[in-house]
Structure formats: structure tokens, C-alpha cells
């Protein structure tokens, strides 16, 4: 009888332990799955520990996009679409184009033009003619020089024109 009471007591104790602590157990597991909102390696204040780093990363010579195409574009299938990006910096920034996160290179239906403007500016234009359904997506203009990188994104989708 004593053995049976001991087993019952131990069984109830184990059951109580499982029922009483699932919230704590869930909380402990959830901590590992949450994603931090803080970017690693970048000071939250924008201030750097040593003056040389602060001067380098907060330089007025960093690449900056001055003018870019509008954010949302709906184009007509079979027509031309174009995006424009003008950037400034010293040394003059280099502009790179991306579509859906992948760098774009010129081909038969897609042309990339680039013009230097003065000593510190550059103008870049991408033209797609004729536009197809495959040209829908998110385009990005990235200007970079030795001090900084600046980006602008353009979302595109197509419409069908009935003539």
C-alpha cells in the first residue's frame, strides 16, 4: 500500500511539474526564435569611438542620390520603361542597377546609359524596350564610392492596354 501511495505521489508530482511549467518552457524557447531589431556593428547613436572613424563614415563626400525615378510604376506591355538615377559624391560615385536583388547587365532589350556630370556627379538611366511581363519587379539604383552607399528602389507592375 505504501509503495502504491509513493508511486501515486510521484506520478502526481510529475504531472504537476508538466502542467505548471509549460508557460515558462515556452517563454524560454521563444527567446531563441525572436529576431533582433538592432543592426550589429553599427552604433545606435551614429557616433563612432575614434574621431578618424567618425570623420570617415560621416563624410560629406559620401555617395548620395540626388534625383531618382518615382517609387511605383505601372507600365504597359510592349512599351518602353525607363528609370533615372543621379548621384553626387567625391570621388564620383559608381551606379549599379539591380532587379529583385540581382545585379542587372545590359542585353538586347535592356540598355544602361551613364553620363558623368562635372567632377562629382553621375547620371544613369536604364531603359527596357519593349517591356514584358518578366520586367515586373523591384528595381534598385545603388550609388557608391569609398565613403558610403545610397540606394533607391522602384516597384514596377504591368498593365494591359486594349487599343
Amino acid at each position: 500500500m505504501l509503495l502504491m501511495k509513493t508511486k501515486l505521489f510521484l506520478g502526481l508530482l510529475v504531472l504537476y511539474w508538466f502542467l505548471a511549467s509549460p508557460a515558462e518552457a515556452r517563454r524560454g524557447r521563444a527567446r531563441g526564435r525572436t529576431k533582433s531589431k538592432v543592426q550589429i556593428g553599427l552604433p545606435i547613436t551614429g557616433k563612432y569611438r575614434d574621431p578618424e572613424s567618425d570623420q570617415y563614415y560621416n563624410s560629406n563626400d559620401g555617395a548620395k542620390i540626388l534625383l531618382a525615378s518615382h517609387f511605383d510604376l505601372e507600365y504597359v506591355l510592349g512599351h518602353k520603361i525607363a528609370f533615372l538615377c543621379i548621384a553626387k559624391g567625391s570621388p564620383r560615385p559608381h551606379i549599379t542597377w539591380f532587379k529583385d536583388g540581382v545585379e542587372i547587365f545590359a542585353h538586347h532589350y535592356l540598355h544602361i546609359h551613364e553620363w558623368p556630370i562635372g567632377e562629382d556627379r553621375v547620371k544613369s538611366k536604364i531603359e527596357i524596350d519593349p517591356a514584358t511581363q518578366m520586367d515586373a519587379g523591384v528595381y534598385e539604383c545603388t550609388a557608391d564610392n569609398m565613403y558610403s552607399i545610397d540606394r533607391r528602389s522602384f516597384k514596377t507592375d504591368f498593365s494591359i492596354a486594349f487599343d
Side-chain angles (χ1 to χ4, degrees), residues 8-26:
L8 180 62
F9 176 74
L10 288 175
L12 289 173
L13 185 63
V14 169
L15 182 63
Y16 174 76
W17 183 70
F18 276 108
L19 293 176
S21 63
E24 291 174 40
R26 264 185 264 130

Side-chain angles (χ1 to χ4, degrees), residues 80-125:
K80 181 192 286 189
I81 56 176
F83 296 111
L84 179 70
C85 195
I86 298 176
K88 176 184 180 181
S90 182
R92 181 187 297 127
H94 174 73
I95 293 180
T96 308
W97 290 93
F98 297 87
K99 179 184 181 270
D100 299 326
V102 178
E103 186 174 351
I104 300 173
F105 298 98
H107 59 75
H108 187 64
Y109 299 110
L110 186 144
H111 303 281
I112 300 173
H113 309 281
E114 192 167 290
W115 304 271
I117 304 170
E119 294 294 316
D120 63 349
R121 295 178 190 218
V122 63
K123 176 180 176 181
S124 184
K125 182 179 181 182

